[in-house]
Amino acid sequence: MLEQYKTVLEQGQQEIVEKKSRFIATVRPVKTEEEAKSFIEEIKKIYWNATHNVFAYQIGERNEIQRFSDDGEPQGTAGMPVLDVLQREDIKNTAIVVTRYFGGTLLGTGGLVRAYGKSAKEGLLKAGIAEVILYKKFQITVSYTDSGKVQYEILQNGYELYDTLYTENVTYIVLVKFGQGDIFLNKMIEITGNRAEIKEDTPFYGAWINGKLNCI
């Protein structure tokens, strides 16, 4: 189970023009190869009259599934540059289709590689690259006497203070990166003299988008 990875959460599309040829990059999150293939067919139907519909996708925790197609462009000039963008950025579970409408001017091998790579990159930026983190979620309930040092420890060490509940005691809801869970737990026990009531929820993947946590 990965503790952190990059992906896209929503579909995005961006168009560039190179020597009158239109390149339209459509990017979509996919979890399976079947989803990727369905997405590619969908885009081909939308842009049925395009000169080329080049694609690449990368799926799996270790990028076990990697596919690309030049769709009629010279070998190595289209699909591979699109896949290379996903590989260099290590973007997981993502598919890209770059649609080209030929503008009448040949771009040459180098020009095609640059154009398809640039288009894929612009499409990714439009969709938005999200950093997905595996979190442990803790509820730390302490007396008001202990609350100050607990809050200080949470904020001082960069943990995510997700919420604070004030009743007869204080409950801090804290998100901790998976690999730091045991360190955090032991520290809470230590600084409260084992007086804290600690509950740990099931780990989950989350990504922060515009200041809001999205569960994946």
Side-chain angles (χ1 to χ4, degrees):
M1 183 177 285
L2 293 174
E3 294 186 13
Q4 196 162 330
Y5 66 93
K6 291 188 289 185
T7 189
V8 298
L9 300 181
E10 297 180 351
Q11 180 168 311
Q13 188 175 80
Q14 186 64 281
E15 179 177 335
I16 66 171
V17 177
E18 295 287 341
K19 294 183 179 179
K20 298 183 180 179
S21 279
R22 295 172 60 206
F23 293 84
I24 306 165
T26 309
V27 180
R28 182 182 292 179
V30 291
K31 294 183 178 179
T32 66
E33 190 162 22
E34 289 70 27
E35 283 187 21
K37 289 178 178 179
S38 176
F39 163 60
I40 292 162
E41 289 306 311
E42 178 185 326
I43 296 301
K44 285 183 175 180
K45 287 178 181 177
I46 294 172
Y47 299 107
W48 60 271
N49 60 341
T51 316
H52 306 279
N53 281 293
V54 169
F55 71 79
Y57 55 86
Q58 181 164 262
I59 300 169
E61 286 191 358
R62 294 174 179 80
N63 307 324
E64 296 92 338
I65 301 173
Q66 295 180 332
R67 304 281 187 270
F68 68 89
S69 169
D70 294 314
D71 193 36
E73 292 281 31
Q75 184 176 359
T77 64
M80 193 62 224
V82 175
L83 180 60
D84 185 59
V85 171
L86 293 172
Q87 290 174 329
R88 281 188 284 110
E89 298 286 343
D90 196 18
I91 309 297
K92 302 183 184 301
N93 299 338
T94 300
I96 304 175
V97 179
V98 179
T99 300
R100 182 190 183 190
Y101 284 92
F102 181 56
T105 302
L106 295 175
L107 299 182
T109 300
L112 285 173
V113 170
R114 287 190 294 273
Y116 277 104
K118 179 182 178 181
S119 183
K121 178 68 174 179
E122 293 294 324
L124 273 176
L125 292 175
K126 186 70 173 183
I129 300 172
E131 194 80 35
V132 179
I133 299 170
L134 181 60
Y135 282 115
K136 285 188 173 183
K137 184 178 181 180
F138 292 94
Q139 294 184 49
I140 311 294
T141 301
V142 295
S143 67
Y144 281 87
T145 302
D146 288 329
S147 64
K149 53 189 174 184
V150 169
Q151 182 174 346
Y152 176 82
E153 182 68 25
I154 293 168
L155 298 177
Q156 181 73 10
N157 288 281
Y159 302 118
E160 293 287 349
L161 181 54
Y162 188 66
D163 202 359
T164 306
L165 309 175
Y166 297 97
T167 56
E168 64 272 15
N169 293 305
V170 184
T171 298
Y172 297 104
I173 299 175
V174 188
L175 305 181
V176 180
K177 290 182 179 179
F178 187 85
Q180 301 173 4
D182 290 343
I183 295 172
F184 173 79
L185 183 60
N186 291 333
K187 191 64 176 180
M188 290 295 104
I189 292 171
E190 176 191 332
I191 66 175
T192 63
N194 204 23
R195 292 184 297 274
E197 178 186 339
I198 302 174
K199 295 180 181 179
E200 181 179 342
D201 294 337
T202 304
F204 70 96
Y205 282 109
W208 294 90
I209 306 296
N210 297 324
K212 181 181 179 182
L213 182 65
N214 291 259
C215 296
I216 308 303

